[in-house]
Amino acid sequence: MTYKKIKLTDAEYNARPTTTAMLYGKRLDVKIKRKFARKAKQLPAGHRPAAMVDYKYRFIVDGHNMKLGEQVASWSTLYGSREFIVLEMDGMAIRGTCHNCEACEDSCYVAHSYRNSSPIFSHARNTWGLRHEPQKVFADLDKQLNTMEQPYIRINQSGDMESEEELYGWIMLAENHPEKIFYLYTKRYDIATPVLLGGGVPENLVILYSIWHEVGVTEYEMVKHLPNVKSFIYNDGTDLMVTPTTRCYAYKGRVLNHEITCGGCKRCIDITNPKYKDIVCDGH
């Protein structure tokens, strides 16, 4: 996937966002120029951008692709809810996609992969694309799925969905490709629950409610009667609010077991075996 800068018209430039809370991929506004400079100074010298660049541009991202694994293709966006300075995109500030994650953000396994900038760049491009050009993103992915051999599609290996429009995009892909199984982990119960109760989710799109302590339990109770809804329960040693029927063996205690793959295990994917309905995991 590549991206390019397109010069803004005067009208677009004058209408650019100025909030520091969420700029959604527009160029950094001068109001946070000093904030960017402070963050840049904290980076290793070889990774510091030379200077802030022209603000009169926007990004167009071309050729969105899923990451291909042995049996599973995966889609990721920026994790957490903090703001990331994406140096490869000229220091653009892009906020993570997760919601209600203050308690678990620091323990997320994805945080360890962000020690280098490559996954940040990749996840940032996906995040930007879904926020600005979701129709193009799903058209690109639909095209990729036509030639993809992987039978399983893991959605939100990192990050979470942010809108009902995004969920309907995945529903569209699942309907267009009934030969594949899509599975999506989420804490956005406010988005998933009404869509599920409305009966618009095909059975080859499995939605796993991420549950931690009491978070997500009430919402899961509303939809757990549906065959393509499961719970994925984080076990941090406290009492579990949902009784698990099986466990995720990708972790041995808190250590990730790289010998176990989603394509080999299939517990999160299989909706025919009731034993795999509620899955507990020691890692997150």
Side-chain angles (χ1 to χ4, degrees):
M1 180 168 62
T2 60
Y3 69 94
K4 57 186 177 181
K5 293 185 289 187
I6 304 297
K7 192 168 185 177
L8 296 174
T9 65
D10 289 341
E12 289 175 322
Y13 179 66
N14 292 333
R16 72 196 187 285
T18 57
T19 175
T20 62
M22 182 71 78
L23 295 179
Y24 286 122
K26 294 287 188 181
R27 304 320 310 278
L28 283 169
D29 190 85
V30 291
K31 289 187 177 181
I32 59 171
K33 195 171 182 179
R34 292 190 184 125
K35 179 180 179 182
F36 173 84
R38 287 197 303 271
K39 289 191 176 183
K41 288 179 180 178
Q42 298 170 6
L43 298 166
H47 296 276
R48 294 177 191 168
M52 294 299 290
V53 293
D54 193 341
Y55 296 99
K56 295 188 177 182
Y57 290 88
R58 63 187 173 92
F59 280 96
I60 297 294
V61 182
D62 293 320
H64 300 85
N65 290 293
M66 297 180 189
K67 181 180 179 181
L68 304 183
E70 185 175 341
Q71 287 187 285
V72 178
S74 60
W75 174 264
S76 298
T77 54
L78 287 171
Y79 92 102
S81 56
R82 68 188 68 179
E83 188 178 73
F84 293 90
I85 300 295
V86 186
L87 301 181
E88 293 88 345
M89 297 175 77
D90 292 332
M92 183 183 292
I94 304 180
R95 191 170 297 278
T97 59
C98 295
H99 174 75
N100 194 24
C101 64
E102 291 78 10
C104 60
E105 185 172 12
D106 290 336
S107 62
C108 182
Y109 79 98
V110 180
H112 301 294
S113 69
Y114 278 21
R115 291 171 181 169
N116 62 72
S117 62
S118 178
I120 297 177
F121 184 27
S122 173
H123 298 177
R125 291 182 298 182
N126 294 345
T127 301
W128 191 96
L130 282 174
R131 286 173 178 166
H132 289 276
E133 302 176 318
Q135 291 181 340
K136 185 179 186 309
V137 169
F138 288 112
D140 288 345
L141 298 183
D142 191 32
K143 183 177 180 181
Q144 184 189 19
L145 284 163
N146 287 329
T147 58
M148 185 187 296
E149 296 181 355
Q150 286 77 1
Y152 308 116
I153 313 300
R154 179 174 176 172
I155 307 166
N156 299 340
Q157 183 169 0
S158 166
D160 206 342
M161 60 183 172
E162 296 187 284
S163 67
E164 192 172 281
E165 178 185 20
E166 184 179 335
L167 177 55
Y168 278 114
W170 294 115
I171 290 172
M172 179 269 294
L173 290 184
E175 290 175 340
N176 288 353
H177 299 275
E179 75 283 1
K180 298 187 183 297
I181 297 178
F182 299 73
Y183 60 114
L184 180 156
Y185 301 87
T186 187
K187 286 190 178 75
R188 290 306 304 266
Y189 325 113
D190 57 322
I191 296 173
T193 302
V195 175
L196 285 162
L197 292 176
V201 181
E203 286 198 358
N204 66 321
L205 173 54
V206 182
I207 297 183
L208 295 102
Y209 275 43
S210 294
I211 292 176
W212 186 58
H213 294 185
E214 73 282 355
V215 176
V217 174
T218 300
E219 293 83 356
Y220 177 60
E221 290 291 329
M222 298 170 63
V223 294
K224 71 176 185 179
H225 63 282
L226 298 171
N228 57 330
V229 177
K230 298 169 173 271
S231 68
F232 195 79
I233 310 154
Y234 176 39
N235 175 27
D236 63 353
T238 59
D239 292 337
L240 301 178
M241 303 296 289
V242 174
T243 302
T245 56
T246 188
R247 67 182 303 104
C248 171
Y249 287 97
Y251 278 84
K252 292 180 177 179
R254 306 291 179 193
V255 180
L256 184 63
N257 179 10
H258 293 281
E259 295 180 0
I260 302 294
T261 64
C262 289
C265 174
K266 300 185 181 66
R267 292 178 185 231
C268 289
I269 305 167
D270 187 350
I271 63 172
T272 62
N273 190 338
K275 182 180 177 181
Y276 299 157
K277 182 73 171 178
D278 301 301
I279 307 162
V280 66
C281 187
D282 293 335
H284 173 72

